[in-house]
């Protein structure tokens, strides 16, 4: 109840308060912060993926800036030999402006990444962009790039058909529940329906010998994936677990200590607001954190 109230009030809460609470989900303002987090997690045996914060870019100039920052990340990964790769939000590269423009920008990123031997994942955004992002993915594969992966969202009713249509490409898939608000006509709404679809899609991915990033903090789905991996005797060549920076760290380290590969999603940058508010909306303890920040300033 209190959480629901806070969610509706989020736009009214001062950004400084939101920032205080949200910074646990973000490495910091610069690539050096993302490098520090990657190094720390590498010491525990884990890997990361780095995301330059920024999305729903509306001018070509902003998209160019985002592209240059993504290329800086690639240079840093290469120079420092970091156990990481790049995640890219296609709207940050101009997908909302023009698909062809975004294609050229992302192709430049993927070409440089390919030269450096680095993988690039296209994050999945809200439903107006699903077709566009899948089209981009297919075009890059048709161009001969194998260093690119996709994300599928279990709440989307279409994801089953999307997997079927992608089987011949054997894509590297990150499977997540999906974070945006979508209409019941196109997306499952209840927790159980989303979980059931997640389990079904995971089995389809394994049945068709595709690599999967099991991206969830939900114990029901984590335990299901662990059981399925054991039953099928799958190796690290087939899967990894993925979590977000700052979320369920104890559980994350348990999974890692069981010997499963684990990657965390490490966003950085000054454009943190959209990402941070989405994370806060998912956090069951959000109300108490925000109140604590409001009253104590930490
Ligand atoms: P759920 O939301 O049910 O969370 C399970 C439990 O985890 C909760 O009960 C709570 O205990 C804990 N938890 C979850 N979020 C928390 C938080 N913010 N703070 C504290 N505790 C929290 N989505 C998308 O649409 N496109 C994408 O490209 C991606 N990419 C992506 C990458 C990675 C690595 C991950 C882990 C997730 C994504 N997502 C995403 C987000 C995803 O779709 C989903 O919204 C979140 O992971 C939350 O769903 P869970 O499966 O974790 O379940």
């Amino acid at each position: 109840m209190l959480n629901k109230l806070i969610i509706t009030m989020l736009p009214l809460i001062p950004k400084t308060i939101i920032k205080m609470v949200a910074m646990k989900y973000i490495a910091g303002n610069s690539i050096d912060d993302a490098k520090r987090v990657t190094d720390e997690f590498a010491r525990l045996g884990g890997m990361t993926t780095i995301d330059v914060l920024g999305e729903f870019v509306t001018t070509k100039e902003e998209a160019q800036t985002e592209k240059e920052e993504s290329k800086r990340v690639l240079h840093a990964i290469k120079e420092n030999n970091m156990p990481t790769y790049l995640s890219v939000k296609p709207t940050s590269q101009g997908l909302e402006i023009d698909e062809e423009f975004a294609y050229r920008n992302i192709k430049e990123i993927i070409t440089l990444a390919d030269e450096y031997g680095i993988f690039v994942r296209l994050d999945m955004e809200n439903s107006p962009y699903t077709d566009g992002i899948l089209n981009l993915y297919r075009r890059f594969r048709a161009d001969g790039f194998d260093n690119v992966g996709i994300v599928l969202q279990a709440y989307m009713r279409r994801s089953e058909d999307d997997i079927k249509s992608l089987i011949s490409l054997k894509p590297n898939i990150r499977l997540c529940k999906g974070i945006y608000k979508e209409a019941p006509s196109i997306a499952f709404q209840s927790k159980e329906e989303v979980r059931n679809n997640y389990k079904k899609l995971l089995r389809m991915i394994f049945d068709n010998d595709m690599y999967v990033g099991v991206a969830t903090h939900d114990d029901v789905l984590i335990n299901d994936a662990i059981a399925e991996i054991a039953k099928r005797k799958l190796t690290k060549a087939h899967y990894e677990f993925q979590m977000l920076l700052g979320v369920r760290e104890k559980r994350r380290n348990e999974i890692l200590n069981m010997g499963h590969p684990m990657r965390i999603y490490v966003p950085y940058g000054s454009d943190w607001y959209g990402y941070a508010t989405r994370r806060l909306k998912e956090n069951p303890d959000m109300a108490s954190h925000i109140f604590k920040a409001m009253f104590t300033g930490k």
Side-chain angles (χ1 to χ4, degrees):
M1 182 68 191
L2 189 55
N3 270 338
K4 284 220 171 94
L5 190 67
I6 295 270
I7 288 170
T8 34
M9 279 167 53
L10 268 183
L12 305 174
I13 297 175
K15 276 196 171 181
T16 45
I17 299 287
I18 308 252
K19 189 170 185 181
M20 243 180 262
V21 181
M23 282 328 267
K24 73 181 269 217
Y25 301 119
I26 294 161
N29 279 335
S30 77
I31 177 66
D32 289 342
D33 296 308
K35 179 179 179 312
R36 176 184 39 79
V37 172
T38 297
D39 289 345
E40 281 165 14
F41 196 49
R43 280 196 281 279
L44 298 179
M47 307 164 284
T48 68
T49 176
I50 296 177
D51 167 56
V52 182
L53 285 172
E55 56 195 296
F56 307 115
V57 154
T58 51
T59 68
K60 290 195 170 180
E61 291 70 29
E62 283 174 301
Q64 301 284 4
T65 307
E66 294 285 332
K67 181 186 71 187
E68 291 310 319
E69 188 62 22
S70 292
K71 286 165 74 179
R72 266 194 288 282
V73 175
L74 295 175
H75 294 313
I77 295 174
K78 164 90 170 143
E79 265 165 39
N80 297 287
N81 198 18
M82 290 155 69
T84 190
Y85 60 68
L86 181 70
S87 286
V88 172
K89 287 202 168 39
T91 58
S92 79
Q93 301 298 322
L95 185 59
E96 200 175 354
I97 304 165
D98 169 22
E99 189 171 318
E100 212 45 47
F101 172 69
Y103 167 74
R104 285 196 302 275
N105 283 341
I106 303 174
K107 189 169 177 179
E108 214 176 300
I109 294 170
I110 291 177
T111 304
L112 180 65
D114 190 40
E115 205 181 303
Y116 286 173
I118 299 169
F119 185 79
V120 177
R121 186 171 307 277
L122 304 181
D123 282 347
M124 185 52 79
E125 303 188 69
N126 47 343
S127 56
Y129 305 106
T130 314
D131 278 331
I133 294 173
L134 289 170
N135 282 346
L136 289 172
Y137 174 75
R138 288 195 172 91
R139 288 180 72 181
F140 295 133
R141 292 298 305 276
D143 290 339
F145 292 104
D146 290 332
N147 63 325
V148 55
I150 195 82
V151 177
L152 291 177
Q153 298 154 320
Y155 67 4
M156 293 297 281
R157 295 178 191 272
R158 59 177 285 170
S159 288
E160 182 175 349
D161 287 336
D162 287 333
I163 291 191
K164 284 183 189 153
S165 74
L166 289 165
I167 286 174
S168 62
L169 291 175
K170 288 250 181 297
N172 177 320
I173 298 174
R174 174 196 294 152
L175 184 61
C176 65
K177 284 185 182 173
I179 182 73
Y180 305 91
K181 183 143 184 56
E182 301 290 359
S185 55
I186 58 168
F188 297 110
Q189 305 290 314
S190 80
K191 201 168 181 120
E192 269 329 289
E193 278 179 313
V194 176
R195 273 185 179 152
N196 288 340
N197 201 41
Y198 193 108
K199 291 179 189 173
K200 183 177 180 180
L201 299 179
L202 186 70
R203 282 158 181 72
M204 283 176 71
I205 292 171
F206 284 151
D207 286 346
N208 290 286
D209 199 24
M210 298 182 250
Y211 187 91
V212 66
V214 181
T216 179
H217 315 93
D218 184 343
D219 275 330
V220 170
L221 295 179
I222 293 169
N223 293 338
D224 176 69
I226 290 175
E228 204 58 31
I229 287 161
K231 195 172 94 189
R232 293 170 186 252
K233 299 188 172 56
L234 297 177
T235 68
K236 293 174 183 183
H238 299 98
Y239 75 96
E240 64 189 36
F241 284 88
Q242 298 186 352
M243 287 193 179
L244 301 170
L245 177 65
V247 179
R248 300 209 66 198
E249 293 173 348
K250 187 164 168 278
R251 182 66 174 132
R252 176 194 82 190
N253 294 346
E254 282 167 10
I255 297 168
L256 194 56
N257 291 335
M258 286 167 77
H260 296 290
M262 171 64 79
R263 185 181 301 277
I264 50 170
Y265 188 96
V266 176
Y268 83 89
S270 48
D271 194 4
W272 52 271
Y273 188 76
Y275 182 84
T277 46
R278 284 203 300 277
R279 296 285 85 80
L280 289 175
K281 285 177 191 172
E282 294 168 325
N283 184 349
D285 300 328
M286 180 182 64
S288 62
H289 289 312
I290 290 191
F291 276 123
K292 193 171 160 231
M294 276 175 163
F295 292 116
T296 65
K298 51 183 167 180

